[in-house]
Amino acid sequence: MSSVSNPLQLSERALHFLKVLVERYISEGQPVGSRALAREAGLNLSPATIRNVMADLEELGLITAPHTSAGRVPTAMGYRLFIDTLLTVKPLQSNVIRQLRHDLDTQDTPDELLETASRLLSEVSHMAGVVTLPRQEAVSFRHIEFLPLSEQRILVILVTNEQEVHNKIIHAPRQFSNADLQAAANFLNRTYAGKDLELIRTSLIQDLAETRDRLSQAIIDAAAIAELALKDRSSHRKPFVLTGEINLMDFSELASMERLRSLFEAFRQKEDIVHLLDRCIETTGVRIFIGEESGYRALDQCSLVTASYTVNDQVVGVLGVIGPTRMEYERVIPLVDFTAKLVGAALNHKSLSPS
Amino acid sequence: MSSVSNPLQLSERALHFLKVLVERYISEGQPVGSRALAREAGLNLSPATIRNVMADLEELGLITAPHTSAGRVPTAMGYRLFIDTLLTVKPLQSNVIRQLRHDLDTQDTPDELLETASRLLSEVSHMAGVVTLPRQEAVSFRHIEFLPLSEQRILVILVTNEQEVHNKIIHAPRQFSNADLQAAANFLNRTYAGKDLELIRTSLIQDLAETRDRLSQAIIDAAAIAELALKDRSSHRKPFVLTGEINLMDFSELASMERLRSLFEAFRQKEDIVHLLDRCIETTGVRIFIGEESGYRALDQCSLVTASYTVNDQVVGVLGVIGPTRMEYERVIPLVDFTAKLVGAALNHKSLSPS
DNA sequence: TTTAGCACTCTAAGTGGTCGAGTGCCAAAA
DNA sequence: TTTTGGCACTCGACCACTTAGAGTGCTAAA
């Protein structure tokens, strides 16, 4: 994928140094100099030798020096190579595993589950956790209810996928009586229970067009109202759950107000984040955007570690952690990976034994 | 209320200086020195004279000097006196009035209304807007619906106050058939429509206790389920809507990470903010907490300007603006005041003509 | 290929000096 | 009695300068 991820041009030794340098930088947060690296790297080499190697690494764009006489810092490319080929992940601590299992297994509704997942991601990582709500191509109709409000306004309560409740207010073209509405709801509930919502919409339109005069007024009414009720659902749907943004204020690399402001602004607008998360949904497994790789200015100094989660082996959503580029990938990656598996499992469990 | 709000010990002139000083400090953000004040104050007095007066004001704790040779800055007490007795409010700009009117009049549901109000407050003030949801002693029952989920879990959909939809999942003590649930819902809807929710609860319990054996099984079931469904509502209710927190990052007086962190943490925890807002609900009209007056550390450098809003002349909620102590009170106060009136009117409108 | 040495660069931190804004106080003026 | 001018003083902001230390690249020798 990335152009340097094949280590052909680099000696084993150079890669080893890169690995040690990145690890050291991640843990200390200070540019790493040749002396420190010589000490750390184990091999008995003098700083001078290290300097030569570091010059090579710099030439390839894997590391960079903030200024002439500071040590080196990994670039996004450096992190990329590190993550793709050098990283040794650390297994999750057993108490973390236990907490994740426990907290994710005791949630009643999918919404609560995802909320909890986000919270856990941010608490364990001390960064920000993000979870997209599962997208669902097929939304099944379960139940509908119409309650008249003032004049021609009608409160619609729609239950989909067994247990998801949506409600909205529609403006009907004419006044309907209580009985009309009741009849319409009954008709819809009887006729369409369990069917796919999109199918219902299209067949409603069709039925209405084709057989208008052969149908009873009640059914025509039902169809008309339902059409209004079912159109542009989900436009109000929260696109993702984000938790622990405040944790990001603790990282010195994000400590400038300007930077932080634009980051939080991006969180609020949601749009860019959604786009980014959408790009992850195609990938199975863990996917990472490092710094500028995301393409969004606000995330320049941030990395995003995501994993998609599945229901019935179908990818339906993405979750992950947002933090500074300098994060402990070796801990965050397994955390995100494992959480995604648990969330998938929990959702599966619910959708497989609904009755 | 505050111990110095009677200006007895202070000459007219000293008060005038205080006023000019506060105004100047609010607009410039810099400590105000004697020369600047002499120029600004109109009266033809030399800086030396001003210095004497300022020394008095400082002695009373109304202003303070950040360091030996800076100008003076108002203290919380100084702001208090300024606001209570010296402030000349500026009327809202007509385009702002128009925008508030328009945006608040075109909201369908109370939730949207309050969301919009919060957004408007923050946008107009360039600070943070906050709105508490209306508390309602009397919640009227409108409609209930039970949908069976897996095993003994039941999805309850409850409509109150004409159009507010709540849903939750309850765990029933035993399995109920679809017909059981339908019957229970029908019974409740028929019997209790329009009644007060708390009354329903108590009468349910009573009925159940007193006349258990004379009632049909269906009704007992209905009561049992309803009891589960109605208990601890509102525990999940969002306590307030907060918008535009990010605006607060632009103020230099809040620019330290530590400060900002604790402020945002308070916003997230909500608890302290709720307490503070609760204290405002008793007051009719505008109420202001300046800096440390709130008693919460996180709000030390902040002021909160609130007004309660009413439905049927009953105070039901509070809204306001949170910003740095150094804010343009003369603009914020009328903004908050007017918004509260509009929100009250809009809610009134809805609750008076619901049918 | 590795290393020691060296000249060089850059930052961080500290020093000292100047400037300007502002103060408090006092004695003279009003 | 109030107001004012004058004066010595304080403090922060700014600038120039220095120093110490870390780290570099390059070269020549091992």
Side-chain angles (χ1 to χ4, degrees):
Chain A
M1 169 166 306
S2 117
S3 62
V4 294
S5 63
N6 75 345
L8 293 184
Q9 10 186 353
L10 279 172
S11 65
E12 274 305 315
R13 200 180 63 174
L15 286 176
H16 174 67
F17 286 141
L18 177 62
K19 180 178 180 200
V20 175
L21 185 145
V22 175
E23 283 170 351
R24 164 101 186 189
Y25 179 66
I26 286 176
S27 74
E28 303 291 322
Q30 299 278 321
V32 183
S34 52
R35 177 164 37 242
L37 195 50
R39 233 183 300 111
E40 205 101 340
L43 320 176
N44 247 343
L45 290 173
S46 80
T49 313
I50 309 283
R51 282 205 284 279
N52 291 325
V53 181
M54 287 169 89
D56 295 347
L57 292 174
E58 178 153 32
E59 191 139 357
L60 290 171
L62 297 170
I63 59 181
T64 180
H67 58 82
T68 324
S69 107
R72 306 301 216 289
V73 160
T75 62
M77 253 169 87
Y79 278 119
R80 172 94 288 161
L81 180 52
F82 172 75
I83 290 171
D84 287 349
T85 74
L86 302 172
L87 188 79
T88 45
V89 298
K90 302 212 175 140
L92 288 177
Q93 288 188 298
S94 63
N95 62 333
V96 171
I97 294 183
R98 221 172 313 124
Q99 191 194 357
L100 291 174
R101 278 232 159 82
H102 172 266
D103 286 12
L104 291 174
D105 276 357
T106 53
Q107 302 303 320
D108 261 342
T109 68
D111 279 4
E112 282 168 15
L113 178 73
L114 300 174
E115 190 82 36
T116 304
S118 180
R119 179 179 58 75
L120 286 168
L121 284 169
S122 78
E123 280 178 6
V124 174
S125 70
H126 301 291
M127 301 186 276
V130 63
V131 180
T132 69
L133 306 196
R135 93 179 146 188
Q136 357 196 235
E137 359 257 81
V139 180
S140 70
F141 174 82
R142 161 93 194 246
H143 188 87
I144 202 165
E145 196 80 21
F146 300 116
L147 294 177
L149 301 176
S150 58
E151 290 142 35
Q152 283 143 17
R153 298 190 313 144
I154 300 172
L155 174 62
V156 182
I157 301 171
L158 173 66
V159 184
T160 60
N161 295 324
E162 293 304 315
Q163 56 169 265
E164 289 172 26
V165 181
H166 315 262
N167 59 81
K168 80 172 184 189
I169 293 173
I170 61 175
H171 295 258
R174 67 169 181 84
Q175 185 105 30
F176 290 99
S177 76
N178 216 323
D180 287 345
L181 293 176
Q182 192 63 56
N186 284 344
F187 168 73
L188 293 168
N189 287 331
R190 210 178 329 107
T191 320
Y192 293 113
K195 296 242 172 66
D196 179 88
L197 214 55
E198 274 313 304
L199 286 179
I200 298 178
R201 270 197 73 189
T202 52
S203 77
L204 270 176
I205 297 172
Q206 229 168 7
D207 288 5
L208 221 54
E210 283 178 10
T211 59
R212 173 173 292 270
D213 35 27
R214 287 192 282 121
L215 292 174
S216 79
Q217 185 60 38
I219 292 175
I220 294 175
D221 286 352
I225 303 172
E227 171 57 19
L228 277 172
L230 301 187
K231 95 174 166 205
D232 54 60
R233 280 173 318 105
S234 88
S235 59
H236 293 71
R237 205 158 166 249
K238 196 188 328 187
F240 56 78
V241 182
L242 180 67
T243 326
E245 316 94 293
I246 315 181
N247 289 338
L248 301 180
M249 303 211 282
D250 293 341
F251 296 98
S252 56
E253 41 268 81
L254 308 173
S256 102
M257 271 306 149
E258 208 191 337
R259 217 170 258 311
L260 207 63
R261 195 351 166 170
S262 67
L263 186 58
F264 277 53
E265 187 63 29
F267 289 160
R268 196 187 61 81
Q269 301 238 221
K270 295 190 166 56
E271 195 182 320
D272 292 352
I273 307 288
V274 169
H275 285 347
L276 199 53
L277 292 172
D278 272 352
R279 279 161 67 191
C280 303
I281 214 170
E282 295 144 20
T283 331
T284 339
V286 176
R287 172 138 184 198
I288 301 176
F289 291 95
I290 303 160
E292 68 241 26
E293 287 184 354
S294 69
Y296 295 103
R297 262 295 170 73
L299 290 174
D300 254 11
Q301 305 292 318
C302 293
S303 283
L304 170 63
V305 177
T306 67
S308 46
Y309 61 86
T310 59
V311 173
N312 298 328
D313 294 325
Q314 277 264 309
V315 174
V316 295
V318 174
L319 55 76
V321 164
I322 300 175
T325 342
R326 185 200 138 218
M327 67 166 76
E328 296 187 87
Y329 296 96
E330 74 266 26
R331 294 183 189 284
V332 173
I333 291 172
L335 167 66
V336 170
D337 194 31
F338 186 63
T339 307
K341 293 205 168 72
L342 287 187
V343 166
L347 286 173
N348 244 320
H349 198 262
K350 288 203 202 320
S351 73
L352 288 178
S353 62
S355 60
Chain B
M1 170 166 305
S2 121
S3 60
V4 294
S5 62
N6 75 345
L8 293 184
Q9 13 187 352
L10 279 172
S11 66
E12 273 306 315
R13 199 180 63 173
L15 286 175
H16 175 67
F17 286 141
L18 178 62
K19 179 178 183 202
V20 176
L21 185 145
V22 175
E23 283 169 353
R24 163 101 187 187
Y25 178 68
I26 286 176
S27 74
E28 303 292 323
Q30 300 277 322
V32 184
S34 54
R35 178 164 38 247
L37 194 49
R39 235 184 300 110
E40 205 100 340
L43 320 175
N44 247 343
L45 290 174
S46 81
T49 314
I50 309 283
R51 284 206 281 279
N52 291 324
V53 180
M54 287 169 89
D56 296 347
L57 292 173
E58 180 154 27
E59 192 138 355
L60 290 170
L62 296 169
I63 58 180
T64 180
H67 57 84
T68 323
S69 106
R72 307 298 217 287
V73 161
T75 60
M77 253 169 88
Y79 278 119
R80 170 96 288 161
L81 180 52
F82 171 76
I83 290 171
D84 287 349
T85 75
L86 303 172
L87 189 80
T88 45
V89 298
K90 303 213 173 137
L92 288 177
Q93 288 189 296
S94 62
N95 62 334
V96 171
I97 294 184
R98 220 173 315 122
Q99 192 194 356
L100 291 175
R101 279 235 160 78
H102 172 267
D103 286 12
L104 291 175
D105 275 359
T106 53
Q107 302 302 321
D108 262 341
T109 68
D111 279 4
E112 281 168 17
L113 177 73
L114 300 174
E115 190 83 36
T116 304
S118 179
R119 180 179 58 75
L120 286 167
L121 285 169
S122 78
E123 279 178 8
V124 174
S125 68
H126 301 293
M127 300 186 277
V130 64
V131 180
T132 68
L133 307 196
R135 90 174 149 191
Q136 352 195 243
E137 358 258 82
V139 180
S140 71
F141 173 84
R142 161 93 195 247
H143 188 87
I144 202 165
E145 196 79 23
F146 299 116
L147 294 177
L149 302 175
S150 58
E151 291 142 34
Q152 284 145 17
R153 298 191 313 144
I154 300 172
L155 174 63
V156 181
I157 302 172
L158 173 66
V159 184
T160 60
N161 294 324
E162 290 306 314
Q163 56 169 265
E164 289 172 26
V165 181
H166 314 262
N167 60 80
K168 80 171 185 189
I169 292 173
I170 61 175
H171 296 258
R174 67 168 180 83
Q175 186 105 29
F176 289 99
S177 77
N178 217 324
D180 288 345
L181 293 176
Q182 191 64 53
N186 283 343
F187 167 74
L188 293 167
N189 288 329
R190 210 179 327 110
T191 319
Y192 293 113
K195 297 243 171 64
D196 179 87
L197 215 54
E198 275 313 305
L199 286 179
I200 298 177
R201 269 196 74 188
T202 51
S203 77
L204 270 176
I205 296 172
Q206 228 167 7
D207 289 4
L208 221 54
E210 282 178 9
T211 60
R212 174 174 291 270
D213 33 29
R214 286 192 284 120
L215 292 173
S216 79
Q217 184 59 38
I219 294 175
I220 293 175
D221 287 351
I225 302 171
E227 170 57 19
L228 277 173
L230 301 186
K231 93 172 169 209
D232 52 63
R233 282 170 318 104
S234 88
S235 58
H236 294 72
R237 207 158 165 249
K238 199 191 321 190
F240 57 79
V241 182
L242 180 68
T243 326
E245 315 96 289
I246 315 182
N247 289 337
L248 301 180
M249 304 210 278
D250 293 342
F251 296 99
S252 55
E253 42 269 78
L254 307 173
S256 101
M257 270 307 148
E258 208 191 336
R259 218 169 257 314
L260 207 64
R261 221 255 196 231
S262 66
L263 186 58
F264 276 54
E265 187 63 28
F267 289 160
R268 196 186 63 78
Q269 301 238 226
K270 295 190 164 60
E271 195 183 319
D272 292 351
I273 307 289
V274 168
H275 284 347
L276 199 53
L277 292 171
D278 273 352
R279 279 161 66 190
C280 302
I281 215 170
E282 295 143 20
T283 329
T284 339
V286 176
R287 168 133 187 203
I288 302 176
F289 291 95
I290 303 158
E292 67 242 27
E293 286 183 356
S294 67
Y296 296 102
R297 263 293 172 76
L299 291 173
D300 253 10
Q301 305 292 317
C302 293
S303 282
L304 170 63
V305 177
T306 67
S308 46
Y309 60 87
T310 58
V311 173
N312 297 327
D313 295 325
Q314 276 266 306
V315 174
V316 296
V318 174
L319 55 74
V321 165
I322 300 175
T325 342
R326 186 200 137 217
M327 66 165 77
E328 296 187 87
Y329 295 96
E330 75 266 24
R331 294 184 189 281
V332 174
I333 290 171
L335 168 65
V336 170
D337 195 30
F338 186 62
T339 308
K341 292 206 168 68
L342 287 187
V343 166
L347 286 175
N348 245 320
H349 198 262
K350 287 205 203 321
S351 73
L352 288 179
S353 63
S355 59

